[in-house]
């Protein structure tokens, strides 16, 4: 008999878009990030788009949480790289001598909380606690700056040792390259039932060959098998609970830098593109062998949609949400509606198919999309029992009042234009700190930022 905790709900913790949101072209293998490099960003619009998505999902009855952005510009990181003097000097010297470093330390990339951590719900863990491992994000400098504060934020929110276990990020070295929940999908029955964990990796660090020995040649594989295995080990997951599958190298080379750009799972449903896995059949077989509830694969073949359309529309970066009547809702980015082929696939193949997906909601998250982050990138899924939700003392579970406070906070502090040359403006740095200091008060989260810790 399987254990079922009826009180478990999946909470989607969305990352707030930070005040320094900009388009710096920093992300390797991420076509949108490269394409929009140098564009003038609108941080206020980005944050409000994110909050509007959170609000509408909250109003539709889904449990919604929020995670704060990080301290940017990360002047401490510039100091470590040898820039000295006052904060103003550090910014000016970096702008002058190494503008690419200034852009990196200003990135608001922590908004994509699917990369913040990997989470195992308590129902799957041997000690019946929810387990968290911040992703080391070592494959890019701008994202490598995130895990330290991420770990502090997660510990501040999930602060009860009886319910929550926190692990260190994996060693930040290519062998353990970890991008978090974006490459991790939990499948099974209801959220309160035991799940099977699908970890998708792009390359192997040790050992001779991966799969048939193929790896991407154009763009980097950001997740290693060894990293995925280490996270599973930290969380106490067994072979019977885990499947490790190699991502198709051709997909990575077409711009699929995370598995969540080509597949999304929820409960028994796995919605995926034919090119998601190097060995599709054995991946499905391994899942079927472990799942108590029969797997419902929803496969989109290449003939119906090219890899280019998948990457361009971000269809697979949708959120797939469970409804009380057993149906599911797919939350897609506006770009899916704009693409005729993709919209047809949604209607004819997904909605009309034999699967629980019965509704599509379209959300505009364009400011994030232009940097390669769709609806699913913007959220970290944490399945929590009622006791675990009650153990959260910070004010991070969205209510109409919190939404209102956060919207007013954005309106008060955010700029609506941010061009690359604005990043050196010392005024932007001080505006950002003022905003974040106020935010930790609003969220009742305590001191989590370097400037607050002294
Ligand atoms: O890591 N983009 C992010 C997007 C992350 C999307 N997340 C998921 N798929 N889960 C990245 O590639 C771009 C920043 C810039 O270029 O300014 C960036 O970091």
């Amino acid at each position: 008999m399987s254990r079922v905790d009826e009180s478990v709900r999946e909470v989607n913790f969305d990352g707030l878009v930070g005040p320094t949101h900009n388009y710096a072209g920093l992300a390797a293998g991420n076509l949108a990030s490269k394409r929009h490099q140098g564009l003038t960003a609108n941080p206020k619009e980005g944050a409000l788009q994110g909050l509007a998505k959170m609000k509408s999902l909250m109003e539709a009855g889904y449990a919604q949480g929020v995670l704060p952005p990080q301290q940017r510009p990360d002047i401490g990181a510039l100091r470590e790289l040898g820039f000295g003097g006052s904060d103003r000097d550090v910014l000016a010297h970096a702008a002058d001598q190494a503008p690419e470093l200034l852009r990196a330390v200003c990135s608001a990339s922590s908004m994509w909380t699917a990369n913040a951590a990997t989470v195992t719900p308590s129902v799957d863990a041997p000690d019946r606690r929810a387990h968290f491992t911040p992703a080391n994000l070592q494959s890019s400098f701008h994202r490598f700056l995130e895990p330290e504060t991420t770990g502090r934020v997660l510990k501040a929110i999930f602060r009860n040792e009886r319910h929550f276990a926190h692990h260190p990020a994996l060693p930040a070295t290519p062998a353990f390259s970890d991008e978090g929940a974006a490459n991790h999908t939990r499948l099974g029955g209801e959220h309160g039932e035991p799940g099977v964990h699908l970890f998708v990796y792009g390359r192997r660090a040790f050992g001779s060959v991966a799969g048939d020995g193929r790896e991407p040649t154009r763009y980097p594989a950001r997740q290693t098998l060894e990293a995925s295995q280490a996270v599973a080990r930290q969380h106490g997951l067994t072979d019977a609970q885990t499947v490790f599958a190699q991502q198709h190298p051709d997909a990575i080379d077409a711009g699929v830098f995370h598995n969540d750009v080509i597949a999304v799972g929820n409960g028994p449903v796995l919605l995926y593109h034919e090119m998601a896995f190097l060995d599709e059949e054995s991946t499905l077989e391994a899942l079927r062998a472990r799942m108590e509830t029969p797997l419902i694969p929803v496969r989109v073949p290449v003939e119906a949609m090219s890899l280019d359309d998948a990457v361009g529309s971000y269809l697979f970066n949708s959120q797939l949400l469970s409804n009380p009547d057993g149906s599911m809702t797919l939350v897609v980015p506006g770009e899916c509606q704009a693409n005729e082929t993709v919209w047809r696939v949604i209607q004819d193949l997904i909605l009309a198919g034999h699967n629980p997906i019965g509704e599509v909601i379209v959300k505009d998250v364009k400011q994030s999309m232009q940097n390669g982050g769709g609806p699913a990138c913007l959220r970290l899924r944490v399945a929590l029992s009622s006791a675990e939700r009650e153990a959260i003392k910070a004010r991070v579970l969205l209510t109409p009042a919190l939404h209102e406070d956060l919207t007013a906070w954005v309106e008060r502090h955010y700029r609506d234009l941010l061009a690359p040359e604005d990043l050196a403006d010392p005024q932007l740095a001080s505006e950002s700190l003022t905003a974040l200091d106020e935010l930790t008060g609003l969220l009742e989260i305590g001191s989590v930022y370097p400037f607050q810790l002294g």
Side-chain angles (χ1 to χ4, degrees):
M1 273 298 286
S2 66
R3 307 173 299 273
V4 186
D5 182 342
E6 307 261 337
S7 78
V8 171
R9 297 195 69 190
E10 177 184 271
V11 185
N12 282 276
F13 284 88
D14 277 46
L16 268 173
V17 174
T20 59
H21 160 58
N22 71 96
Y23 298 111
L26 300 171
N30 172 340
L31 306 186
S33 150
K34 291 289 173 207
R35 189 171 323 122
H36 298 106
Q37 173 168 4
L39 211 72
T40 296
N42 185 336
K44 182 179 281 185
E45 185 180 64
L48 294 177
Q49 284 173 345
L51 281 164
K53 166 165 100 76
M54 296 184 226
K55 178 169 186 260
S56 70
L57 295 183
M58 169 189 72
E59 286 174 347
Y62 304 107
Q64 182 67 56
V66 61
L67 292 177
Q70 300 217 346
Q71 180 182 330
R72 298 290 180 270
D74 188 339
I75 292 176
L78 289 178
R79 288 190 185 281
E80 279 180 29
L81 295 173
F83 295 99
S86 66
D87 284 359
R88 187 179 278 264
D89 292 337
V90 169
L91 289 170
H93 292 148
D96 185 43
Q97 296 163 29
E100 66 288 355
L101 294 182
L102 177 63
R103 289 198 294 271
V105 304
C106 287
S107 177
S109 54
S110 66
M111 73 175 85
W112 301 298
T113 52
N115 306 118
T118 305
V119 184
T120 293
S122 54
V123 64
D124 295 340
D127 62 0
R128 299 288 172 265
R129 296 191 293 168
H131 286 245
F132 298 82
T133 301
N136 63 28
L137 294 171
Q138 68 84 50
S139 55
S140 58
F141 172 58
H142 71 294
R143 303 217 64 181
F144 160 78
L145 300 174
E146 296 175 38
E148 202 175 310
T149 296
T150 299
R152 254 196 316 268
V153 166
L154 292 175
K155 281 182 184 161
I157 294 175
F158 303 100
R159 203 184 318 171
N160 184 314
E161 279 187 18
R162 197 161 78 78
H163 290 295
F164 308 119
H166 296 275
H167 300 275
L170 301 180
T173 191
F176 295 105
S177 187
D178 177 21
E179 303 262 323
N183 294 317
H184 168 246
T185 308
R186 182 173 177 265
L187 295 155
E190 307 266 314
H191 292 133
E193 290 178 46
V196 171
H197 297 251
L198 171 61
F199 289 89
V200 181
Y201 63 92
R203 66 183 163 89
R204 254 180 216 225
F206 302 105
S208 48
V209 285
D212 65 357
R214 291 183 56 200
E215 286 189 6
T217 52
R218 197 161 171 216
Y219 296 129
R222 295 200 200 175
Q223 182 90 27
T224 63
L225 169 62
E226 288 79 355
S228 299
Q229 287 170 330
V231 171
R233 214 162 24 236
Q234 285 182 332
H235 295 197
L237 296 173
T238 63
D239 288 350
Q241 295 173 290
T242 48
V243 173
F244 299 93
Q246 188 179 347
Q247 200 178 351
H248 205 301
D250 295 352
I252 296 177
D253 280 340
V256 181
F257 55 96
H258 290 137
N259 177 61
D260 71 2
V261 176
I262 194 138
V264 56
N266 180 53
V269 176
L270 180 62
L271 169 63
Y272 70 101
H273 187 272
E274 179 184 344
M275 293 295 286
F277 312 109
L278 182 56
D279 190 341
E280 179 187 354
E281 229 168 88
S282 57
T283 302
L284 298 191
E285 224 168 82
L287 288 171
R288 284 197 178 101
R290 288 164 178 76
M291 286 169 64
E292 288 179 28
T293 306
L295 177 74
I296 306 176
V298 183
R299 177 185 198 258
V300 178
V302 177
E303 306 88 72
M305 189 191 298
S306 67
L307 266 177
D308 287 350
D309 275 341
V311 173
S313 69
Y314 261 43
L315 166 62
F316 299 93
N317 200 258
S318 299
Q319 289 178 252
L320 192 50
L321 302 168
S322 298
N323 301 317
D325 65 359
S327 71
M328 292 188 195
T329 296
L330 193 66
V331 183
V332 306
E335 286 72 4
C336 288
Q337 200 167 22
N339 181 321
E340 222 180 283
T341 309
V342 173
W343 195 242
R344 208 170 332 109
V345 165
I346 292 174
Q347 304 303 323
D348 300 350
L349 198 149
I350 299 176
L351 289 180
H354 288 291
N355 66 67
I357 307 171
E359 184 193 26
V360 164
I361 297 181
V362 182
K363 284 285 139 214
D364 177 9
V365 287
K366 191 154 185 249
Q367 287 289 324
S368 165
M369 279 289 285
Q370 291 183 149
N371 253 338
C377 299
L378 286 162
R379 59 92 175 98
L380 180 67
R381 296 193 273 192
V382 189
L384 295 166
S385 67
S386 55
E388 291 160 355
R389 292 195 297 278
E390 274 156 31
I392 297 176
K393 299 300 173 218
R395 190 176 171 233
V396 291
L397 298 176
L398 200 68
T399 59
L402 178 57
H403 175 268
E404 206 173 292
D405 288 352
L406 290 173
T407 303
W409 170 80
V410 169
E411 297 281 5
R412 249 189 334 271
H413 295 287
Y414 279 51
R415 297 188 181 190
D416 54 14
L417 286 179
L418 199 59
E421 57 274 19
D422 298 329
L423 299 177
D425 178 0
Q427 190 58 34
L428 176 69
S430 70
E431 281 166 27
S432 178
L433 295 198
T434 305
L436 294 182
D437 209 27
E438 200 180 309
L439 180 67
T440 51
L442 271 180
L443 298 179
E444 299 169 16
I445 202 176
S447 297
V448 290
Y449 295 119
F451 78 93
Q452 296 174 318
L453 299 166

